[in-house]
Amino acid sequence: MPAPSSNSKGAADAPLRVLNLCTQFAGLGGVESVVRDHHQHDAARGLDSRFCVFWEPSHPGWDHARFLDFSDSLSIRTARRRFRDGVAGFDPRLVVWHTVWGWPYFDDLVGASAARMLFLHSDTPGLEAQLATRAWWADGFACVNDRLVQRVRDARPDIAPERIHRVHYPVDPPIPLPSAGRGLGDPLVIGFCGRLDFEQKRVDRIPELAEQLGSSGIPFRMEFLGDGPKRGWLQERLNDPARFVFHGRRSGREYWESLSSWDALFFVSDYEGTPIALLEAMTCGVIPLHPAIGSGGDQYSARVDPTLVYPAGDIAALASRMVRLSRERDSIRNLRVRSAEAVSGHAANRYRDAMADFQRRIADLPRLDRRPLTGRPFPTDWLSFGAIRRLMDWKRRPGRQASATPPSPQ
């Protein structure tokens, strides 16, 4: 990672060297979009930021990113060599972990004197157990919702408030926003934006939702923005192109035009952090319908109207709320105004400035005492990620102690 020329503004001295470590970078997810936002805008805020991406092959056009192309068949030893080569020549003052995965494998290979920051983007299954160690390896924490802030405080009660930053994800819409140009709720247009997969997003629940809406007799159209491994499966079950529209991946003006045309956005997830798609849709005045899973998504939906938060997994309750929206057009109008108001604090520049200030603060504060990293007994480094995962699965069987360190992000 050779040092580039800096175009930073307002930095008192040399730019702060920041190494960002993440599992994904160029994909569809909200976390990836936030990391890419840092890639694009950090230099203007006095940060010399580099990115090391564990589980993606090389993508052209990202000059400050290194893609390590990890796979289940790769040995820990080879992965460590790739990581060492990927960060060679860059001496960070701050290492930002955008994932709880991988820390015991790679942290000893970079920036021994650098501060560590953990950026918690989602309340993933097993996070509480993982924070039992990770919370004692970091000097600062960025958390995308209040529940994650509390998890950090529970894991490390002595942490000072100045070392935790409650993140408000950036929303950067075009100005002016596109206009839908149709009557509200005529038909009711409901959208899903994100990865089309069973894991976390639970798109396997959507056919039941479509069936219940069809039985209700309301006029509706369901649109999908995004892609994923279960797109084909979903299209086979929702095979009426007049009622179910699959846009695939969109970006730029086209993306915002699609969002602006929806009356409501829905989630059927098992877990989330604070979905960026939800914030972006709400900026357009789209009504958010979200399951009660203790995430930022629930909190923002409840700010608009508590009834927009439905019991997790209860598709009948979700369908019922959509039917009510279809029959109450004045309600749609009022809720759309409240949706836009609820996310007015998510201006992109505000996020970028606040995060840059927090990163400088953590880099400048004294390092916290750290507990030793989890050891890797011989011959762990000669095993593949897949073999380690199978070993961890065996350890997690009933009657055995669970591991807090999954070997891969899948």
Side-chain angles (χ1 to χ4, degrees):
M1 290 188 175
S5 60
S6 173
N7 64 342
S8 62
K9 299 185 296 185
D13 299 305
L16 175 66
R17 298 183 303 277
V18 182
L19 177 63
N20 294 269
L21 305 176
C22 49
T23 58
Q24 307 287 327
F25 179 89
L28 290 169
V31 176
E32 291 94 312
S33 70
V34 171
V35 177
R36 291 195 301 270
D37 190 87
H38 281 276
H39 184 280
Q40 182 176 357
H41 297 285
D42 276 3
R45 285 160 176 79
L47 307 180
D48 178 4
S49 294
R50 313 301 175 84
F51 303 81
C52 201
V53 187
F54 295 130
W55 292 84
E56 280 184 351
S58 182
H59 293 272
W62 302 104
D63 53 347
H64 297 166
R66 296 292 182 269
F67 298 86
L68 303 186
D69 195 18
F70 287 178
S71 66
D72 276 357
S73 61
L74 196 70
S75 72
I76 307 300
R77 182 171 179 265
T78 302
R80 282 173 58 82
R81 185 170 63 248
R82 286 190 190 178
F83 180 84
R84 184 186 295 109
D85 293 343
V87 301
F90 187 66
D91 183 22
R93 287 191 59 221
L94 177 67
V95 178
V96 180
W97 284 87
H98 292 269
T99 170
V100 294
W101 179 85
W103 211 319
Y105 298 136
F106 309 111
D107 193 71
D108 64 308
L109 299 177
V110 60
S113 64
R116 264 59 172 174
M117 184 183 115
L118 178 57
F119 197 145
L120 292 171
H121 294 271
S122 185
D123 193 10
T124 52
L127 179 63
E128 185 176 7
Q130 290 160 342
L131 282 176
T133 54
R134 306 308 193 272
W136 295 92
W137 299 343
D139 301 291
F141 303 83
C143 306
V144 303
N145 61 48
D146 295 334
R147 183 170 184 171
L148 290 170
V149 170
Q150 190 58 51
R151 287 207 185 280
V152 170
R153 289 177 174 154
D154 290 344
R156 187 162 187 176
D158 69 333
I159 196 76
E162 66 181 340
R163 293 182 181 269
I164 301 178
H165 176 47
R166 168 61 165 87
V167 172
H168 291 80
Y169 267 155
V171 178
D172 197 7
I175 303 297
L177 278 167
S179 175
R182 64 170 181 82
L184 295 176
D186 185 25
L188 184 73
V189 180
I190 51 178
F192 180 95
C193 185
R195 188 178 69 258
L196 300 179
D197 203 355
F198 293 166
E199 170 65 25
Q200 180 189 3
K201 299 300 183 180
R202 293 304 304 271
V203 300
D204 52 306
R205 292 169 170 157
I206 295 178
E208 178 187 349
L209 174 63
E211 182 178 355
Q212 296 209 21
L213 291 177
S215 299
S216 73
I218 66 167
F220 76 93
R221 184 169 71 251
M222 189 178 293
E223 299 189 1
F224 297 88
L225 274 175
D227 211 336
K230 299 304 179 182
R231 175 175 174 172
W233 180 92
L234 199 57
Q235 284 184 290
E236 287 180 6
R237 287 152 181 81
L238 307 178
N239 57 7
D240 180 355
R243 179 167 277 184
F244 305 103
V245 181
F246 290 81
H247 293 294
R249 183 173 182 171
R250 288 187 167 181
S251 61
R253 186 81 182 179
E254 193 176 30
Y255 169 80
W256 289 98
E257 286 174 351
S258 293
L259 283 186
S260 297
S261 70
W262 295 350
D263 294 304
L265 171 81
F266 72 94
F267 290 81
V268 287
S269 313
D270 281 338
Y271 60 92
E272 291 283 353
T274 298
I276 293 180
L278 177 137
L279 300 175
E280 291 174 335
M282 290 176 65
T283 299
C284 299
V286 178
I287 301 166
L289 293 153
H290 202 280
I293 53 178
S295 75
D298 327 18
Q299 294 178 357
Y300 282 95
S301 296
R303 288 183 191 179
V304 181
D305 188 320
T307 65
L308 299 176
V309 181
Y310 67 93
D314 190 342
I315 299 304
L318 173 59
S320 175
R321 188 63 181 112
M322 290 178 175
V323 170
R324 286 172 56 192
L325 284 176
S326 176
R327 293 170 178 167
E328 300 172 3
R329 294 188 188 180
D330 287 341
S331 176
I332 290 179
R333 192 180 309 277
N334 294 334
L335 291 174
R336 290 195 65 153
V337 171
R338 290 167 64 178
S339 286
E341 292 174 346
V343 294
S344 60
H346 282 268
N349 283 337
R350 180 181 296 185
Y351 165 85
R352 293 163 189 156
D353 290 343
M355 182 58 72
D357 289 345
F358 180 69
Q359 290 181 332
R360 279 190 285 269
R361 182 196 313 163
I362 296 304
D364 291 340
L365 283 171
R367 306 294 177 257
L368 295 177
D369 291 336
R370 296 176 188 165
R371 295 179 179 175
L373 292 176
T374 304
R376 299 189 311 279
F378 179 84
T380 300
D381 283 7
W382 295 88
L383 299 177
S384 69
F385 286 121
I388 295 291
R389 182 191 297 111
R390 290 189 292 273
L391 178 61
M392 293 300 102
D393 289 344
W394 176 76
K395 284 188 174 183
R396 292 189 191 101
R397 293 187 309 174
R400 302 195 62 86
Q401 182 178 359
S403 168
T405 306
S408 81
Q410 282 78 7

